[in-house]
Amino acid sequence: MSITLIIFWFLSFMAIMSALMVVFAKNPVHSVLYLIITFFAIAGHYLLLSAQFLAAVHIIVYAGAIMVLFLYVIMMLNLNKETEPHKKPIIKFVAVVAAGLLMLTLVAAFKGAEVKVIASADASIGSVESLGKVLFKEFLLPFEVSSILFLAAMVGAVYLSKKDLH
Amino acid sequence: MEPLLIKAIIAIVVFAITLLIATYSTYAERKVAAVMQDRVGPNRAGPFGLLQPLADAVKMFMKEEIIPSVSNKWLFIAGPCIAMLTACMTGVVIPWGGPITLGAQKFTLQVADLNIGILYLFGVVSMGVYGIMIGGWASNNKFSLIGAIRASSQMISYEIAMGLAIIALVMTTGTLSLNEIVVQQDEGLANIVIQPLGFLIFIVCAFAETNRAPFDLPECETELIGGYHTEYSSMKLGFYLFAEYINMFISSAVIVCFYFGGYNFPFQHELQNLLGLTENALSIIQVVVMFGKVFFFIFFFMWVRWTIPRFRYDQLMNLGWKVLLPLALANIFITGLVMWGMGKI
């Protein structure tokens, strides 16, 4: 087994295990920390695909910014056993059925899917330079439109958080 | 010698020097404070008190270690470890001197010349907040939690302005590799001339990111006892304090690389020709010059700490969001306009 393959299996194991632990951990803060480990494992996968830029940005944005905010909010809420919301049995049952249906759909969608292996493994494909050229030449309009989407989301969040509007 | 072996040696040397400088920064800090307050400072352990850091380390190790029974034990231990780990990881991408030729091979005095060096730096810095947050939360103490929350909100706020200041720098240099930025400053002007506003924003944010005064609200004694490390004792506390000094050293090195020419100094090639120095000799002089610059900025950090009083929390947030962020955005626009006017884009 080559070293890349060993790293791949290790990262995959880590990603799936910690993703499962996000769901099964009793303490919400532990869940957030497991999710951070998952993000690191996925960033490792990006590195294996020689997409350094994507790996770095993934760490900076998800692990470095978004998860800090998650952790921040969960620490402030101080969730524990007493404040845990108790759902009715019927809601739990409906949730299980819905999740099962979702899994069925996913399995059905991926069952017949063709796995294509792209032979031309160009090492510079994930570099900042080639990514920037693709984003700002071929996909300039979608790129800018998505940034407007973020701006709209930000304005909406500011509007909602203003208390004395009415 | 094998290239990998040489890289390993460079990595170990950089690690050792980082720890040594961080150790003696604690001594320097107390001496600088003493000079500014017209005192003598530590002078008992060894000549001029030079063994004081050693005595401090022994004291830290010998103290009783307390893990609060209501704390989250593993996370309580993980907190200072993460703080120390992220502090040590940042030194990897900094170029310490010009290339050195050994036998037939040429080596750069840098652990790893990543082509995404700036992003790596930024990613590791953004991980640093977890050490403080996890430690503060795991202590299960109100003051620790408030300290941790203050620290994280401060670091997130100032990271944005810092990132935008770097974007203007990346626009003018056109690269994300630290080594290339330093080499460009040998050929052209130092970046401080090109990006004065960017430098100002960056250095203010560097103070906030390292939790140094006047931005040391996370461990503000008069309000929070000790902030996020209230419950820590012995060497775990030592790790948190030590990580701060490592961060200070690394941010000084980064400031020098980004804005003050890194290891280059004016008229270095003229000097080389005049004295008939070899490439290797010049590289060694460059390392000395680099450390000279870094020591100046470490001194600058201390100078500011003992001069300016601590901000109030709302002042801190106003400065970050209402002053530095718009300034950094304006800096990007001005940089873009000037570059467009000069026909560079």
Side-chain angles (χ1 to χ4, degrees):
Chain A
M1 224 168 19
S2 71
I3 187 116
T4 327
L5 204 61
I6 296 171
I7 296 172
F8 172 78
W9 284 114
F10 175 70
L11 286 174
S12 308
F13 176 75
M14 208 165 86
I16 293 170
M17 269 310 286
S18 43
L20 286 175
M21 286 308 288
V22 174
V23 183
F24 291 127
K26 292 272 181 206
N27 191 328
V29 171
H30 291 180
S31 293
V32 172
L33 295 177
Y34 279 118
L35 194 55
I36 295 165
I37 298 174
T38 315
F39 284 142
F40 268 96
I42 292 169
H45 279 302
Y46 286 142
L47 279 182
L48 281 185
L49 295 166
S50 66
Q52 299 106 330
F53 178 75
L54 210 55
V57 170
H58 187 76
I59 294 287
I60 294 170
V61 174
Y62 284 92
I66 292 177
M67 292 323 287
V68 173
L69 292 177
F70 263 68
L71 204 58
Y72 191 93
V73 170
I74 287 173
M75 281 178 182
M76 292 281 265
L77 289 179
N78 195 19
L79 298 169
N80 45 33
K81 281 254 162 55
E82 291 90 63
T83 56
E84 199 180 318
H86 288 283
K87 295 268 181 348
K88 284 178 188 166
I90 178 80
I91 294 177
K92 283 183 185 171
F93 178 72
V94 172
V96 168
V97 171
L101 285 173
L102 180 66
M103 194 177 124
L104 194 73
T105 321
L106 284 175
V107 169
F110 285 112
K111 193 172 158 266
E114 207 176 324
V115 182
K116 269 190 189 160
V117 179
I118 298 165
S120 68
D122 187 5
S124 71
I125 201 162
S127 74
V128 185
E129 205 179 342
S130 46
L131 200 69
K133 274 180 183 156
V134 170
L135 274 183
F136 287 101
K137 279 186 176 161
E138 286 177 46
F139 299 103
L140 182 62
L141 188 66
F143 185 72
E144 294 298 334
V145 168
S146 67
S147 69
I148 290 172
L149 187 71
F150 278 118
L151 189 68
M154 211 160 74
V155 171
V158 170
Y159 185 81
L160 286 176
S161 63
K162 283 259 180 197
K163 280 178 193 147
D164 48 355
L165 269 181
H166 305 293
Chain B
M1 274 200 280
E2 294 280 314
L4 207 64
L5 186 67
I6 290 190
K7 283 290 174 198
I9 292 171
I10 291 177
I12 290 167
V13 169
V14 166
F15 182 60
I17 288 177
T18 307
L19 293 186
L20 184 76
I21 288 178
T23 312
Y24 271 90
S25 295
T26 61
Y27 169 76
E29 173 116 86
R30 295 167 71 175
K31 278 290 187 192
V32 169
V35 168
M36 291 200 175
Q37 297 164 352
D38 203 14
R39 294 187 283 115
V40 182
N43 66 344
R44 296 286 144 169
F48 309 108
L50 274 172
L51 297 178
Q52 187 65 39
L54 206 68
D56 280 339
V58 172
K59 182 195 82 175
M60 281 286 187
F61 275 112
M62 302 308 265
K63 285 236 172 163
E64 189 190 356
E65 190 167 335
I66 300 164
I67 296 180
S69 56
V70 286
S71 71
N72 197 316
K73 195 176 170 222
W74 287 109
L75 291 181
F76 189 79
I77 297 169
C81 296
I82 296 171
M84 195 70 177
L85 181 76
T86 51
C88 290
M89 271 169 73
T90 38
V92 167
V93 287
I94 292 164
W96 301 100
I100 282 209
T101 318
L102 274 182
Q105 283 162 311
K106 210 172 181 184
F107 297 100
T108 49
L109 291 179
Q110 186 180 17
V111 178
D113 185 11
L114 301 177
N115 57 1
I116 50 156
I118 292 178
L119 291 176
Y120 169 83
L121 210 64
F122 213 64
V124 175
V125 166
S126 63
M127 286 299 103
V129 66
Y130 284 117
I132 292 172
M133 276 188 97
I134 290 172
W137 179 78
S139 303
N140 207 353
N141 175 324
K142 282 191 184 64
F143 293 109
S144 298
L145 186 65
I146 295 172
I149 283 173
R150 272 191 181 186
S152 53
S153 53
Q154 172 181 329
M155 283 168 104
I156 295 172
S157 308
Y158 280 78
E159 240 168 49
I160 298 169
M162 189 185 223
L164 291 174
I166 297 174
I167 285 178
L169 183 77
V170 171
M171 280 164 72
T172 55
T173 55
T175 176
L176 287 171
S177 149
L178 262 81
N179 194 36
E180 223 164 291
I181 288 176
V182 172
V183 169
Q184 278 181 8
Q185 292 179 78
D186 176 26
E187 291 152 2
L189 286 167
N191 281 330
I192 174 75
V193 186
I194 303 165
Q195 286 286 336
L197 184 59
F199 164 69
L200 195 68
I201 297 164
F202 188 87
I203 197 162
V204 172
C205 294
F207 274 83
E209 289 287 311
T210 47
N211 289 333
R212 292 281 304 183
F215 298 105
D216 59 345
L217 284 114
E219 44 190 297
C220 173
E221 308 90 3
T222 45
E223 296 167 18
L224 293 175
I225 308 176
Y228 56 88
H229 55 56
T230 303
E231 293 287 350
Y232 282 88
S233 56
S234 182
M235 205 52 205
K236 289 201 190 68
L237 174 66
F239 261 34
Y240 270 129
L241 302 181
F242 208 60
E244 184 185 312
Y245 283 96
I246 295 176
N247 281 332
M248 197 165 86
F249 168 57
I250 300 292
S251 11
S252 302
V254 171
I255 290 168
V256 169
C257 285
F258 278 178
Y259 294 101
F260 285 89
Y263 51 73
N264 299 303
F265 57 95
F267 307 113
Q268 52 180 348
H269 297 296
E270 284 80 355
L271 183 79
Q272 191 188 4
N273 291 336
L274 195 72
L275 300 176
L277 294 171
T278 58
E279 191 92 335
N280 286 0
L282 182 68
S283 294
I284 290 165
I285 297 174
Q286 283 175 336
V287 174
V288 175
V289 169
M290 170 86 186
F291 277 102
K293 289 179 186 176
V294 172
F295 289 152
F296 171 76
F297 274 99
I298 294 178
F299 170 70
F300 185 73
F301 268 85
M302 292 165 183
W303 188 6
V304 169
R305 172 168 179 179
W306 299 108
T307 309
I308 300 174
R310 185 181 287 137
F311 280 114
R312 221 170 48 218
Y313 196 69
D314 58 324
Q315 290 172 333
L316 172 97
M317 282 295 149
N318 279 344
L319 180 69
W321 289 101
K322 292 184 184 164
V323 180
L324 290 179
L325 185 66
L327 269 181
L329 285 171
N331 190 33
I332 291 177
F333 275 110
I334 295 166
T335 309
L337 276 179
V338 171
M339 283 176 75
W340 182 63
M342 287 167 74
K344 283 193 176 170
I345 40 173

